[in-house]
Amino acid sequence: MMADLLTQTPNKARFFTTGFPGRNVADLKPLLSSLEAILIDVRMSPQSSSVQWNREYLKILLKGKYRHIAQLGNRHSENEPVAIQHLALGTRILVSFGMNAVLLCECGEAQSCHRRIIAHELKRQGYSVEELESWK
């Protein structure tokens, strides 16, 4: 019984990480619905040369299920070491929602993306975190 208490997460919220290269924005709504989750944009600046990945488009598409947490953004470009704006504050904001969330970034590979650092921190805090290989 005590062992079960120690292995439980502090909150039932689950977190998922993913990148959008090669993905179809139309798959986001069904994905979020199936995971009972909101989308958290973890890009420092949620802009893209593809209009469907810009903050304003995502806000309209997802309505109240889109949030941007700039504190979880990477201050450096892809050729520099990762420097998350404010990891502690960003994760506090994230978990304060008390909801399942998909953390979205523009990087295709999790290994080279700052979202792996966010995932590591959430796991350290006892949360369930999974990289989404597929949106189907």
Side-chain angles (χ1 to χ4, degrees), residues 5-67:
L5 291 174
L6 294 174
T7 59
Q8 290 179 346
T9 58
N11 184 319
K12 294 194 185 282
R14 296 178 308 146
F15 299 104
F16 305 89
T17 60
T18 192
F20 64 73
R23 310 284 185 160
N24 186 336
V25 74
D27 293 333
L28 270 178
K29 285 175 88 172
L31 173 70
L32 296 176
S33 180
S34 71
L35 298 173
E36 298 177 345
I38 60 174
L39 184 76
I40 304 295
D41 198 328
V42 298
R43 295 176 289 169
M44 188 71 178
S45 176
Q47 304 302 318
S48 173
S49 58
S50 299
V51 73
Q52 71 268 18
W53 298 112
N54 284 325
R55 172 188 9 219
E56 294 310 315
Y57 185 91
L58 292 170
K59 282 171 70 172
I60 292 167
L61 176 71
L62 301 175
K63 305 198 181 351
K65 293 191 174 212
Y66 173 87
R67 307 266 172 38

Side-chain angles (χ1 to χ4, degrees), residues 75-136:
R75 290 189 309 250
H76 291 166
S77 67
E78 68 181 71
N79 295 329
E80 299 177 273
V82 170
I84 295 177
Q85 183 68 15
H86 199 302
L87 183 61
L89 178 58
T91 55
R92 279 200 310 269
I93 292 168
L94 176 61
V95 300
S96 76
F97 297 139
M99 303 173 74
N100 294 347
V102 174
L103 283 61
L104 178 76
C105 187
E106 63 191 315
C107 302
E109 294 295 320
Q111 273 310 98
S112 58
C113 180
H114 77 287
R115 69 181 183 261
R116 69 180 162 73
I117 295 170
I118 300 166
H120 177 75
E121 176 60 19
L122 290 167
K123 287 177 185 177
R124 190 190 66 74
Q125 293 179 27
Y127 290 93
S128 170
V129 184
E130 175 185 339
E131 173 72 13
L132 295 173
E133 301 296 327
S134 170
W135 286 13
K136 302 284 183 184

